[in-house]
Amino acid sequence: MNNDWSKLKRSSNGIPTYDSLIPYILEVIKNGEEATNVVIKERVCDYLNVPQHIVEEKYPNYPNSESILHNRFSFAFSDLSKANAVDRVRRGVYKINKNGEFLLDNYGDQLTKKVLEERPEYMQYMNELKLRNERTGGATIENVEENDETKIEIGSLVQTINNEIAIELLDIVRGSDPIFFEKLVVDLLVAMGYSGENGKAKVTSQSNDGGIDGIINQDPLGTSTVYIQAKRYKEDNVVGRSAIQAFYGALAGVNADRGVFITTSRYTKNAKEFAKNQGIVLIDGIQLTDLMLKYRVGVEVAHQYTVFKIDGDYFEE
């Protein structure tokens, strides 16, 4: 492995590009231990003998931001995660896995973004991102004028970034504890306002839930109630009609007239048709994470920017 930073691919400002850092992240954690992203960055910089002024250089217009190089590490971590070359043990903590060991052994410092993009896990991720982008559309800034290309580009970029976060979020949710997932979906519906002003929400007992995972009483007397079933499934475990019929039976058992079925996967066409005819609301994995972003459940705002326009009314005589 090359250990001279100056031989890496660099941008016009002389700082290594993010894709040139990819193999070295794997190199410094190849012993299999867990390490924070901060420790990994330090190890890579030491391994490559990166000068301190390169490590610390920041964007000219953003002196309070993190350094350019550290920002580029974030993109490298992201691509390695998309290719399933590292496991995100918990927030900001990574560990190399068997895929990562294979890539490092076979490509060494020739491991590039292009190689990662050819991995089936990366392609699956991009397909999911494409699907999300198609469902959420382009620009998300309200009242975008059709001839305002700048706004459209900014809106599309923001939407794509949020879609990437949503994919990561869905992966975390799929790997969560089943009881935690049930609590999450109840929290989400409460955040959406389903509990009403003085209503109550709860996760049902695991030992005797009767096919009902959560209950939301929308008023103090419980005269208006929403029943929930939550299925934490992988993408390929598609929810069929039989599962929705079973939920319908559980609703009938408590004389309920409304129910919400939430899954981290998808529904078959027959399941959707049956649910529609019985008044059951279905939420799939994409809708779930979109709602989590919208109502800020499990996420927080990272950055917020203000875009100005001329106030024409002010200059009117």
Side-chain angles (χ1 to χ4, degrees):
M1 291 278 287
N2 164 56
N3 64 351
D4 182 357
W5 76 278
S6 65
K7 294 182 180 179
L8 300 183
K9 179 183 176 183
R10 290 182 284 168
S11 56
S12 59
N13 57 12
I15 298 176
T17 60
Y18 87 85
D19 53 319
S20 70
L21 301 169
I22 288 173
Y24 300 99
I25 291 176
L26 296 181
E27 175 66 21
V28 300
I29 57 173
K30 65 180 180 181
N31 58 7
E33 67 174 346
E34 298 176 7
T36 66
N37 55 11
V38 174
V39 169
I40 294 172
K41 292 174 186 178
E42 292 176 348
R43 288 181 182 175
V44 171
C45 290
D46 289 343
Y47 182 89
L48 292 170
N49 299 302
V50 182
Q52 195 61 26
H53 74 277
I54 294 294
V55 174
E56 297 177 353
E57 185 167 345
K58 298 184 178 183
Y59 295 101
N61 297 327
Y62 301 94
N64 296 323
S65 65
E66 66 178 348
S67 72
I68 299 174
L69 185 61
H70 282 189
N71 180 262
R72 290 180 179 180
F73 268 107
S74 300
F75 289 100
F77 280 119
S78 178
D79 270 358
L80 285 168
S81 296
K82 293 172 187 175
N84 191 30
V86 294
D87 292 330
R88 186 182 284 104
V89 182
R90 53 188 178 277
R91 185 175 181 181
V93 179
Y94 296 87
K95 181 179 180 180
I96 194 171
N97 57 29
K98 292 187 179 298
N99 286 333
E101 292 172 352
F102 170 83
L103 290 169
L104 186 62
D105 290 341
N106 285 271
Y107 293 95
D109 55 14
Q110 299 304 305
L111 178 60
T112 62
K113 177 180 175 64
K114 183 178 180 181
V115 173
L116 296 182
E117 289 175 338
E118 294 173 350
R119 300 291 297 176
E121 298 89 347
Y122 198 104
M123 289 189 285
Q124 180 179 347
Y125 172 91
M126 295 307 297
N127 286 335
E128 187 170 348
L129 179 60
K130 180 181 178 182
L131 176 60
R132 283 180 180 271
N133 284 336
E134 289 174 349
R135 285 180 59 167
T136 55
T140 57
I141 298 176
E142 295 182 1
N143 301 322
V144 173
E145 298 178 8
E146 292 183 358
N147 60 352
D148 195 336
E149 295 182 0
T150 301
K151 287 184 179 179
I152 293 174
E153 289 175 2
I154 293 173
S156 297
L157 176 59
V158 169
Q159 185 64 64
T160 298
I161 292 172
N162 285 339
N163 283 341
E164 290 183 348
I165 295 298
I167 292 173
E168 181 180 345
L169 184 62
L170 184 56
D171 185 54
I172 294 172
V173 172
R174 282 176 178 153
S176 66
D177 179 86
I179 298 176
F180 175 83
F181 178 59
E182 292 173 5
K183 179 180 180 299
L184 183 154
V185 298
V186 170
D187 288 345
L188 175 60
L189 291 178
V190 169
M192 294 171 66
Y194 274 85
S195 62
E197 185 175 349
N198 297 303
K200 294 182 180 180
K202 68 175 182 178
V203 175
T204 57
S205 170
Q206 295 295 305
S207 59
N208 187 30
D209 63 17
I212 305 295
D213 297 322
I215 301 173
I216 297 179
N217 290 320
Q218 296 183 287
D219 61 85
L221 297 179
T223 60
S224 181
T225 305
V226 177
Y227 293 88
I228 308 164
Q229 185 161 119
K231 293 298 182 184
R232 184 184 52 87
Y233 288 159
K234 292 185 177 180
E235 173 66 17
D236 56 355
N237 192 354
V238 183
V239 179
R241 179 186 175 114
S242 60
I244 308 303
Q245 286 178 318
F247 181 47
Y248 178 70
L251 293 175
V254 292
N255 297 316
D257 61 354
R258 62 186 69 186
V260 180
F261 195 112
I262 302 177
T263 184
T264 52
S265 63
R266 297 171 288 117
Y267 299 96
T268 64
K269 181 179 179 181
N270 287 338
K272 292 177 182 179
E273 290 176 350
F274 181 82
K276 183 178 180 180
N277 293 333
Q278 305 304 328
I280 296 173
V281 176
L282 302 183
I283 298 176
D284 63 18
I286 291 180
Q287 292 170 307
L288 171 63
T289 48
D290 283 348
L291 290 170
M292 289 178 69
L293 292 181
K294 181 176 180 179
Y295 293 94
R296 299 184 185 180
V297 174
V299 296
E300 58 185 359
V301 176
H303 301 287
Q304 194 164 15
Y305 302 94
T306 301
V307 179
F308 295 98
K309 69 175 184 177
I310 300 297
D311 182 358
D313 293 337
Y314 180 83
F315 294 97
E316 289 282 342
E317 291 186 2

